[in-house]
Amino acid sequence: MLRFHNTLSNQLEDFHPLNGNEVKMYICGPTVWNFAHIGNFRSFTFGDILARYLRYKGYRVTHVMNLTDVDDRIINESAKKNISIDEMTAPFITAFWEDMDAIGNLRPDIAPRATEHVAEMIEIIQTLLDNGKAYESDGSIYFRITAFPEYGKLSKIKFEGNKVGGSERIDTDKYEKEDARDFALWKLVDKSDPAGWDAPFGYGRPGWHIECSAMSMKYLGETFDIHAGGIDLQFPHHENEIAQSEGATGKLFAKYWLHGEFLKIDNEKMSKSLGNEFTLRDIIGRGFKPLAIRYLLFSVPYDKQLNFTFENLKGAESTIDRLQDFKKRLQEAHLTDGINTDLQEKVRGFLNDFEEAMDDNLNTSVALASLHNLVREVNTALAHETVLTEDRSEILHIIDKYDSVFGIFGEAKEEILDAEIEKLIEERQEARRNRNFGRSDEIRDLLAEKGIILEDTKDGVRWKRK
RNA sequence: GGCGGCAUAGCCAAGUGGUAAGGCAGAGCUCUGCAAAAGCUUUAUUCAUCGGUUCGAUUCCGAUUGCCGCCUCCA
């Protein structure tokens, strides 16, 4: 039974979709004002693993991830560069999808953009104005918290003991609000400002939270199954989404709320001021394989803080090299005909462990351990020549099942050797047969320079690219 | 000031009221012309500290210390 830690109840809950085996899920995506950093990608990879595992379990998943392409930072940047919002965000949207592909995150089914859904936002705001859960003040529209008694049910923040501005952030809203907690649904802007839209209640631009309410409900319905995102979005973003959405529809907004914990760098918070903020591009630029980054990002359960270090990234790279290598070796091994039911049983047992671990609120650490146990078991069998032809297809099939969720084995591309390299390998074999090891080592070194690593196995010469 | 989370080997990290998964790094052996790869074995009498509950605690409770986060637009 699949269970999730639901932030709403703060408990482990059995997962039951609202409608048969259909799962509607929404993940808070990036603000496309810059290249996304690895903290962002921890969240998106968590969302990807979630969607993949739900599909593994046989659910029909609709995965929506928004692109926030209008906010203060984007508006300020585009104004500074004197370009339009679209011109400002376009290259970062392109870069974002490149990054997602590189790190092996499958594309969401729908990736709506805020600027293309202003009409839907206006509609919700109008509903809230009509039913008294929103009010106008100095031309802007605010949500009236006192009209939504359940406010705080997600984050469980009690407002009595809180310091105003306790986070040392300054409230930039200069307008009068009925209650300090009320938040902007629509901000009045000057008619000359290009970053604005016409609405029945005045020319302006949407508040931050309203876009997610509008887009999630448009594509997934007024009540949907899973809403996920980074822990920092829990308050105020998600709390406000609930207030707006449920305030407008009177229905439950999302049934399960999942929050991904933070990524730390060398045990410290990642932040610009500490100079330890890395984009995915920075790290790939340092020569690390994207799939190693992926492995590291999900090797710790999503709801625990993850400590990112380059030492560990190196370790992750060794690990995925070993896994990819293992698969290749299994594919290429010369096996005897037959079937080893004992081995197959064990391998299926590991997959079962994997499923139990993933069912337990996506415990990826334990799930990965089962894969490593599988590799050790099969490696031993390979050494003892107890893997038979019929076992291989079954084991490869099971590895594919793992990888439909993990996505770390990479593409199984048939790499063709240059004729020249192939000739060198043959020449080396000839030299070895003649025990001319001086020449054979020379060739091995030569190929090593070209990034080709040779391994002499009992099934012949294997090679791989560094 | 209010509230929450976490502290497990060199590093990352899972986990449980009954005696510590997994990965990386390290060591030894097997295999090899030598390598590489792989396999096997090995690396925490101990889970921040101090008390308490218990037949028994790393796991429950309390205190202390340290780290991380939230308290209005940061994944």
PDB file of all heavy atoms in Angstrom, chain B residues 48-59:
ATOM      1  P     A B  48      23.399  10.003  18.669  1.00  0.00           P
ATOM      2  OP1   A B  48      22.585   9.464  19.752  1.00  0.00           O
ATOM      3  OP2   A B  48      22.793  10.767  17.568  1.00  0.00           O
ATOM      4  O5'   A B  48      24.543  10.889  19.330  1.00  0.00           O
ATOM      5  C5'   A B  48      25.811  11.065  18.694  1.00  0.00           C
ATOM      6  C4'   A B  48      26.511  12.218  19.355  1.00  0.00           C
ATOM      7  O4'   A B  48      25.879  13.454  18.924  1.00  0.00           O
ATOM      8  C3'   A B  48      26.391  12.222  20.877  1.00  0.00           C
ATOM      9  O3'   A B  48      27.433  11.461  21.459  1.00  0.00           O
ATOM     10  C2'   A B  48      26.532  13.711  21.192  1.00  0.00           C
ATOM     11  O2'   A B  48      27.882  14.120  21.155  1.00  0.00           O
ATOM     12  C1'   A B  48      25.772  14.349  20.014  1.00  0.00           C
ATOM     13  N9    A B  48      24.348  14.555  20.287  1.00  0.00           N
ATOM     14  C8    A B  48      23.280  13.980  19.644  1.00  0.00           C
ATOM     15  N7    A B  48      22.109  14.359  20.093  1.00  0.00           N
ATOM     16  C5    A B  48      22.432  15.244  21.109  1.00  0.00           C
ATOM     17  C6    A B  48      21.627  15.994  21.986  1.00  0.00           C
ATOM     18  N6    A B  48      20.295  15.972  21.970  1.00  0.00           N
ATOM     19  N1    A B  48      22.248  16.785  22.882  1.00  0.00           N
ATOM     20  C2    A B  48      23.585  16.810  22.912  1.00  0.00           C
ATOM     21  N3    A B  48      24.458  16.152  22.130  1.00  0.00           N
ATOM     22  C4    A B  48      23.802  15.376  21.243  1.00  0.00           C
ATOM     23  P     U B  49      27.132  10.582  22.769  1.00  0.00           P
ATOM     24  OP1   U B  49      28.310   9.718  23.014  1.00  0.00           O
ATOM     25  OP2   U B  49      25.777   9.971  22.647  1.00  0.00           O
ATOM     26  O5'   U B  49      27.065  11.686  23.904  1.00  0.00           O
ATOM     27  C5'   U B  49      28.223  12.458  24.231  1.00  0.00           C
ATOM     28  C4'   U B  49      27.860  13.449  25.303  1.00  0.00           C
ATOM     29  O4'   U B  49      26.922  14.413  24.754  1.00  0.00           O
ATOM     30  C3'   U B  49      27.112  12.853  26.484  1.00  0.00           C
ATOM     31  O3'   U B  49      28.019  12.292  27.432  1.00  0.00           O
ATOM     32  C2'   U B  49      26.394  14.072  27.041  1.00  0.00           C
ATOM     33  O2'   U B  49      27.232  14.905  27.793  1.00  0.00           O
ATOM     34  C1'   U B  49      25.980  14.786  25.754  1.00  0.00           C
ATOM     35  N1    U B  49      24.627  14.407  25.287  1.00  0.00           N
ATOM     36  C2    U B  49      23.546  14.998  25.942  1.00  0.00           C
ATOM     37  O2    U B  49      23.676  15.759  26.863  1.00  0.00           O
ATOM     38  N3    U B  49      22.318  14.631  25.453  1.00  0.00           N
ATOM     39  C4    U B  49      22.051  13.763  24.416  1.00  0.00           C
ATOM     40  O4    U B  49      20.888  13.532  24.092  1.00  0.00           O
ATOM     41  C5    U B  49      23.220  13.184  23.805  1.00  0.00           C
ATOM     42  C6    U B  49      24.436  13.523  24.258  1.00  0.00           C
ATOM     43  P     C B  50      27.539  11.012  28.305  1.00  0.00           P
ATOM     44  OP1   C B  50      28.712  10.526  29.049  1.00  0.00           O
ATOM     45  OP2   C B  50      26.761  10.082  27.454  1.00  0.00           O
ATOM     46  O5'   C B  50      26.531  11.698  29.328  1.00  0.00           O
ATOM     47  C5'   C B  50      27.001  12.704  30.218  1.00  0.00           C
ATOM     48  C4'   C B  50      25.835  13.272  30.982  1.00  0.00           C
ATOM     49  O4'   C B  50      24.967  13.998  30.074  1.00  0.00           O
ATOM     50  C3'   C B  50      24.908  12.239  31.594  1.00  0.00           C
ATOM     51  O3'   C B  50      25.443  11.719  32.791  1.00  0.00           O
ATOM     52  C2'   C B  50      23.646  13.053  31.810  1.00  0.00           C
ATOM     53  O2'   C B  50      23.702  13.878  32.947  1.00  0.00           O
ATOM     54  C1'   C B  50      23.622  13.916  30.541  1.00  0.00           C
ATOM     55  N1    C B  50      22.775  13.323  29.486  1.00  0.00           N
ATOM     56  C2    C B  50      21.399  13.585  29.519  1.00  0.00           C
ATOM     57  O2    C B  50      20.939  14.298  30.425  1.00  0.00           O
ATOM     58  N3    C B  50      20.598  13.052  28.566  1.00  0.00           N
ATOM     59  C4    C B  50      21.129  12.279  27.608  1.00  0.00           C
ATOM     60  N4    C B  50      20.296  11.781  26.692  1.00  0.00           N
ATOM     61  C5    C B  50      22.526  11.993  27.559  1.00  0.00           C
ATOM     62  C6    C B  50      23.305  12.528  28.503  1.00  0.00           C
ATOM     63  P     G B  51      24.805  10.345  33.397  1.00  0.00           P
ATOM     64  OP1   G B  51      25.755   9.816  34.393  1.00  0.00           O
ATOM     65  OP2   G B  51      24.311   9.470  32.301  1.00  0.00           O
ATOM     66  O5'   G B  51      23.548  10.924  34.166  1.00  0.00           O
ATOM     67  C5'   G B  51      22.442  10.106  34.375  1.00  0.00           C
ATOM     68  C4'   G B  51      21.218  10.948  34.627  1.00  0.00           C
ATOM     69  O4'   G B  51      21.019  11.871  33.517  1.00  0.00           O
ATOM     70  C3'   G B  51      19.952  10.115  34.660  1.00  0.00           C
ATOM     71  O3'   G B  51      19.765   9.547  35.947  1.00  0.00           O
ATOM     72  C2'   G B  51      18.889  11.130  34.267  1.00  0.00           C
ATOM     73  O2'   G B  51      18.545  11.980  35.330  1.00  0.00           O
ATOM     74  C1'   G B  51      19.642  11.910  33.180  1.00  0.00           C
ATOM     75  N9    G B  51      19.484  11.275  31.866  1.00  0.00           N
ATOM     76  C8    G B  51      20.455  10.692  31.091  1.00  0.00           C
ATOM     77  N7    G B  51      20.003  10.195  29.970  1.00  0.00           N
ATOM     78  C5    G B  51      18.639  10.463  30.002  1.00  0.00           C
ATOM     79  C6    G B  51      17.621  10.156  29.059  1.00  0.00           C
ATOM     80  O6    G B  51      17.726   9.576  27.976  1.00  0.00           O
ATOM     81  N1    G B  51      16.373  10.589  29.500  1.00  0.00           N
ATOM     82  C2    G B  51      16.140  11.249  30.682  1.00  0.00           C
ATOM     83  N2    G B  51      14.877  11.592  30.925  1.00  0.00           N
ATOM     84  N3    G B  51      17.076  11.541  31.568  1.00  0.00           N
ATOM     85  C4    G B  51      18.299  11.127  31.166  1.00  0.00           C
ATOM     86  P     G B  52      19.403   7.952  35.995  1.00  0.00           P
ATOM     87  OP1   G B  52      19.510   7.533  37.406  1.00  0.00           O
ATOM     88  OP2   G B  52      20.151   7.244  34.954  1.00  0.00           O
ATOM     89  O5'   G B  52      17.866   7.992  35.592  1.00  0.00           O
ATOM     90  C5'   G B  52      16.947   8.804  36.320  1.00  0.00           C
ATOM     91  C4'   G B  52      15.629   8.862  35.602  1.00  0.00           C
ATOM     92  O4'   G B  52      15.818   9.469  34.298  1.00  0.00           O
ATOM     93  C3'   G B  52      15.001   7.514  35.278  1.00  0.00           C
ATOM     94  O3'   G B  52      14.335   6.969  36.398  1.00  0.00           O
ATOM     95  C2'   G B  52      14.037   7.903  34.162  1.00  0.00           C
ATOM     96  O2'   G B  52      12.852   8.499  34.653  1.00  0.00           O
ATOM     97  C1'   G B  52      14.860   8.931  33.386  1.00  0.00           C
ATOM     98  N9    G B  52      15.563   8.349  32.244  1.00  0.00           N
ATOM     99  C8    G B  52      16.913   8.109  32.113  1.00  0.00           C
ATOM    100  N7    G B  52      17.226   7.576  30.961  1.00  0.00           N
ATOM    101  C5    G B  52      16.016   7.458  30.292  1.00  0.00           C
ATOM    102  C6    G B  52      15.719   6.957  28.992  1.00  0.00           C
ATOM    103  O6    G B  52      16.488   6.498  28.145  1.00  0.00           O
ATOM    104  N1    G B  52      14.351   7.012  28.722  1.00  0.00           N
ATOM    105  C2    G B  52      13.397   7.502  29.580  1.00  0.00           C
ATOM    106  N2    G B  52      12.142   7.474  29.141  1.00  0.00           N
ATOM    107  N3    G B  52      13.662   7.982  30.788  1.00  0.00           N
ATOM    108  C4    G B  52      14.973   7.928  31.071  1.00  0.00           C
ATOM    109  P     U B  53      14.138   5.354  36.479  1.00  0.00           P
ATOM    110  OP1   U B  53      13.527   5.056  37.784  1.00  0.00           O
ATOM    111  OP2   U B  53      15.418   4.708  36.080  1.00  0.00           O
ATOM    112  O5'   U B  53      13.064   5.062  35.346  1.00  0.00           O
ATOM    113  C5'   U B  53      11.728   5.533  35.483  1.00  0.00           C
ATOM    114  C4'   U B  53      10.908   5.056  34.303  1.00  0.00           C
ATOM    115  O4'   U B  53      11.386   5.698  33.085  1.00  0.00           O
ATOM    116  C3'   U B  53      11.034   3.570  34.004  1.00  0.00           C
ATOM    117  O3'   U B  53      10.203   2.797  34.856  1.00  0.00           O
ATOM    118  C2'   U B  53      10.594   3.523  32.542  1.00  0.00           C
ATOM    119  O2'   U B  53       9.199   3.620  32.404  1.00  0.00           O
ATOM    120  C1'   U B  53      11.266   4.796  32.001  1.00  0.00           C
ATOM    121  N1    U B  53      12.609   4.517  31.459  1.00  0.00           N
ATOM    122  C2    U B  53      12.691   4.024  30.165  1.00  0.00           C
ATOM    123  O2    U B  53      11.720   3.808  29.476  1.00  0.00           O
ATOM    124  N3    U B  53      13.970   3.781  29.718  1.00  0.00           N
ATOM    125  C4    U B  53      15.136   3.974  30.416  1.00  0.00           C
ATOM    126  O4    U B  53      16.208   3.713  29.874  1.00  0.00           O
ATOM    127  C5    U B  53      14.976   4.480  31.746  1.00  0.00           C
ATOM    128  C6    U B  53      13.740   4.726  32.211  1.00  0.00           C
ATOM    129  P     U B  54      10.808   1.476  35.546  1.00  0.00           P
ATOM    130  OP1   U B  54       9.738   0.914  36.407  1.00  0.00           O
ATOM    131  OP2   U B  54      12.142   1.780  36.107  1.00  0.00           O
ATOM    132  O5'   U B  54      11.009   0.492  34.319  1.00  0.00           O
ATOM    133  C5'   U B  54       9.909   0.101  33.513  1.00  0.00           C
ATOM    134  C4'   U B  54      10.411  -0.661  32.319  1.00  0.00           C
ATOM    135  O4'   U B  54      11.205   0.224  31.483  1.00  0.00           O
ATOM    136  C3'   U B  54      11.366  -1.799  32.660  1.00  0.00           C
ATOM    137  O3'   U B  54      10.664  -2.971  33.052  1.00  0.00           O
ATOM    138  C2'   U B  54      12.094  -1.983  31.330  1.00  0.00           C
ATOM    139  O2'   U B  54      11.321  -2.704  30.397  1.00  0.00           O
ATOM    140  C1'   U B  54      12.240  -0.517  30.857  1.00  0.00           C
ATOM    141  N1    U B  54      13.547   0.071  31.244  1.00  0.00           N
ATOM    142  C2    U B  54      14.588  -0.038  30.329  1.00  0.00           C
ATOM    143  O2    U B  54      14.461  -0.567  29.255  1.00  0.00           O
ATOM    144  N3    U B  54      15.778   0.506  30.749  1.00  0.00           N
ATOM    145  C4    U B  54      16.035   1.129  31.941  1.00  0.00           C
ATOM    146  O4    U B  54      17.157   1.568  32.179  1.00  0.00           O
ATOM    147  C5    U B  54      14.913   1.204  32.835  1.00  0.00           C
ATOM    148  C6    U B  54      13.727   0.683  32.460  1.00  0.00           C
ATOM    149  P     C B  55      11.166  -3.817  34.307  1.00  0.00           P
ATOM    150  OP1   C B  55      10.103  -4.776  34.626  1.00  0.00           O
ATOM    151  OP2   C B  55      11.679  -2.857  35.334  1.00  0.00           O
ATOM    152  O5'   C B  55      12.427  -4.603  33.729  1.00  0.00           O
ATOM    153  C5'   C B  55      13.346  -5.225  34.630  1.00  0.00           C
ATOM    154  C4'   C B  55      14.399  -5.946  33.814  1.00  0.00           C
ATOM    155  O4'   C B  55      13.775  -7.033  33.086  1.00  0.00           O
ATOM    156  C3'   C B  55      15.044  -5.098  32.734  1.00  0.00           C
ATOM    157  O3'   C B  55      16.109  -4.327  33.245  1.00  0.00           O
ATOM    158  C2'   C B  55      15.529  -6.159  31.746  1.00  0.00           C
ATOM    159  O2'   C B  55      16.724  -6.767  32.158  1.00  0.00           O
ATOM    160  C1'   C B  55      14.379  -7.170  31.816  1.00  0.00           C
ATOM    161  N1    C B  55      13.351  -6.940  30.780  1.00  0.00           N
ATOM    162  C2    C B  55      13.638  -7.291  29.456  1.00  0.00           C
ATOM    163  O2    C B  55      14.744  -7.761  29.193  1.00  0.00           O
ATOM    164  N3    C B  55      12.704  -7.099  28.505  1.00  0.00           N
ATOM    165  C4    C B  55      11.509  -6.591  28.835  1.00  0.00           C
ATOM    166  N4    C B  55      10.627  -6.429  27.865  1.00  0.00           N
ATOM    167  C5    C B  55      11.194  -6.224  30.174  1.00  0.00           C
ATOM    168  C6    C B  55      12.129  -6.411  31.110  1.00  0.00           C
ATOM    169  P     G B  56      16.257  -2.820  32.770  1.00  0.00           P
ATOM    170  OP1   G B  56      17.391  -2.224  33.506  1.00  0.00           O
ATOM    171  OP2   G B  56      14.922  -2.195  32.845  1.00  0.00           O
ATOM    172  O5'   G B  56      16.679  -2.984  31.248  1.00  0.00           O
ATOM    173  C5'   G B  56      17.959  -3.543  30.933  1.00  0.00           C
ATOM    174  C4'   G B  56      18.039  -3.820  29.460  1.00  0.00           C
ATOM    175  O4'   G B  56      16.975  -4.731  29.086  1.00  0.00           O
ATOM    176  C3'   G B  56      17.814  -2.612  28.564  1.00  0.00           C
ATOM    177  O3'   G B  56      19.029  -1.895  28.400  1.00  0.00           O
ATOM    178  C2'   G B  56      17.376  -3.264  27.254  1.00  0.00           C
ATOM    179  O2'   G B  56      18.479  -3.774  26.525  1.00  0.00           O
ATOM    180  C1'   G B  56      16.531  -4.433  27.782  1.00  0.00           C
ATOM    181  N9    G B  56      15.109  -4.119  27.832  1.00  0.00           N
ATOM    182  C8    G B  56      14.358  -3.834  28.947  1.00  0.00           C
ATOM    183  N7    G B  56      13.097  -3.609  28.680  1.00  0.00           N
ATOM    184  C5    G B  56      13.014  -3.742  27.297  1.00  0.00           C
ATOM    185  C6    G B  56      11.899  -3.612  26.431  1.00  0.00           C
ATOM    186  O6    G B  56      10.730  -3.349  26.722  1.00  0.00           O
ATOM    187  N1    G B  56      12.253  -3.821  25.096  1.00  0.00           N
ATOM    188  C2    G B  56      13.516  -4.132  24.663  1.00  0.00           C
ATOM    189  N2    G B  56      13.662  -4.296  23.357  1.00  0.00           N
ATOM    190  N3    G B  56      14.567  -4.262  25.464  1.00  0.00           N
ATOM    191  C4    G B  56      14.248  -4.062  26.752  1.00  0.00           C
ATOM    192  P     A B  57      18.957  -0.302  28.249  1.00  0.00           P
ATOM    193  OP1   A B  57      20.377   0.177  28.184  1.00  0.00           O
ATOM    194  OP2   A B  57      18.058   0.233  29.276  1.00  0.00           O
ATOM    195  O5'   A B  57      18.266  -0.117  26.813  1.00  0.00           O
ATOM    196  C5'   A B  57      18.947  -0.465  25.595  1.00  0.00           C
ATOM    197  C4'   A B  57      18.770   0.663  24.613  1.00  0.00           C
ATOM    198  O4'   A B  57      17.336   0.814  24.398  1.00  0.00           O
ATOM    199  C3'   A B  57      19.253   1.984  25.200  1.00  0.00           C
ATOM    200  O3'   A B  57      20.654   2.209  25.016  1.00  0.00           O
ATOM    201  C2'   A B  57      18.281   3.014  24.571  1.00  0.00           C
ATOM    202  O2'   A B  57      18.765   3.528  23.351  1.00  0.00           O
ATOM    203  C1'   A B  57      17.019   2.196  24.323  1.00  0.00           C
ATOM    204  N9    A B  57      15.896   2.464  25.215  1.00  0.00           N
ATOM    205  C8    A B  57      15.853   2.647  26.564  1.00  0.00           C
ATOM    206  N7    A B  57      14.656   2.848  27.066  1.00  0.00           N
ATOM    207  C5    A B  57      13.838   2.795  25.941  1.00  0.00           C
ATOM    208  C6    A B  57      12.447   2.922  25.766  1.00  0.00           C
ATOM    209  N6    A B  57      11.600   3.146  26.767  1.00  0.00           N
ATOM    210  N1    A B  57      11.963   2.825  24.517  1.00  0.00           N
ATOM    211  C2    A B  57      12.807   2.592  23.512  1.00  0.00           C
ATOM    212  N3    A B  57      14.134   2.443  23.545  1.00  0.00           N
ATOM    213  C4    A B  57      14.589   2.560  24.803  1.00  0.00           C
ATOM    214  P     U B  58      21.467   2.458  23.739  1.00  0.00           P
ATOM    215  OP1   U B  58      21.359   1.216  23.002  1.00  0.00           O
ATOM    216  OP2   U B  58      22.772   2.936  24.236  1.00  0.00           O
ATOM    217  O5'   U B  58      20.809   3.616  22.861  1.00  0.00           O
ATOM    218  C5'   U B  58      21.561   4.734  22.442  1.00  0.00           C
ATOM    219  C4'   U B  58      21.032   5.238  21.129  1.00  0.00           C
ATOM    220  O4'   U B  58      21.430   4.329  20.075  1.00  0.00           O
ATOM    221  C3'   U B  58      19.504   5.267  21.052  1.00  0.00           C
ATOM    222  O3'   U B  58      19.031   6.507  21.534  1.00  0.00           O
ATOM    223  C2'   U B  58      19.252   5.142  19.562  1.00  0.00           C
ATOM    224  O2'   U B  58      19.364   6.380  18.897  1.00  0.00           O
ATOM    225  C1'   U B  58      20.395   4.231  19.110  1.00  0.00           C
ATOM    226  N1    U B  58      20.022   2.816  18.970  1.00  0.00           N
ATOM    227  C2    U B  58      19.145   2.479  17.946  1.00  0.00           C
ATOM    228  O2    U B  58      18.653   3.307  17.196  1.00  0.00           O
ATOM    229  N3    U B  58      18.853   1.145  17.850  1.00  0.00           N
ATOM    230  C4    U B  58      19.337   0.124  18.646  1.00  0.00           C
ATOM    231  O4    U B  58      18.979  -1.027  18.419  1.00  0.00           O
ATOM    232  C5    U B  58      20.232   0.550  19.682  1.00  0.00           C
ATOM    233  C6    U B  58      20.536   1.846  19.802  1.00  0.00           C
ATOM    234  P     U B  59      17.635   6.601  22.326  1.00  0.00           P
ATOM    235  OP1   U B  59      17.394   8.023  22.572  1.00  0.00           O
ATOM    236  OP2   U B  59      17.701   5.633  23.440  1.00  0.00           O
ATOM    237  O5'   U B  59      16.532   6.067  21.298  1.00  0.00           O
ATOM    238  C5'   U B  59      16.090   6.865  20.188  1.00  0.00           C
ATOM    239  C4'   U B  59      15.271   5.998  19.276  1.00  0.00           C
ATOM    240  O4'   U B  59      15.971   4.760  19.121  1.00  0.00           O
ATOM    241  C3'   U B  59      13.879   5.640  19.804  1.00  0.00           C
ATOM    242  O3'   U B  59      12.919   6.339  19.025  1.00  0.00           O
ATOM    243  C2'   U B  59      13.720   4.172  19.572  1.00  0.00           C
ATOM    244  O2'   U B  59      12.671   3.890  18.651  1.00  0.00           O
ATOM    245  C1'   U B  59      15.034   3.734  18.925  1.00  0.00           C
ATOM    246  N1    U B  59      15.585   2.489  19.451  1.00  0.00           N
ATOM    247  C2    U B  59      15.182   1.309  18.823  1.00  0.00           C
ATOM    248  O2    U B  59      14.382   1.283  17.917  1.00  0.00           O
ATOM    249  N3    U B  59      15.745   0.170  19.327  1.00  0.00           N
ATOM    250  C4    U B  59      16.663   0.084  20.358  1.00  0.00           C
ATOM    251  O4    U B  59      17.089  -1.021  20.671  1.00  0.00           O
ATOM    252  C5    U B  59      17.021   1.340  20.959  1.00  0.00           C
ATOM    253  C6    U B  59      16.470   2.476  20.486  1.00  0.00           C
TER     254        U B  59
END
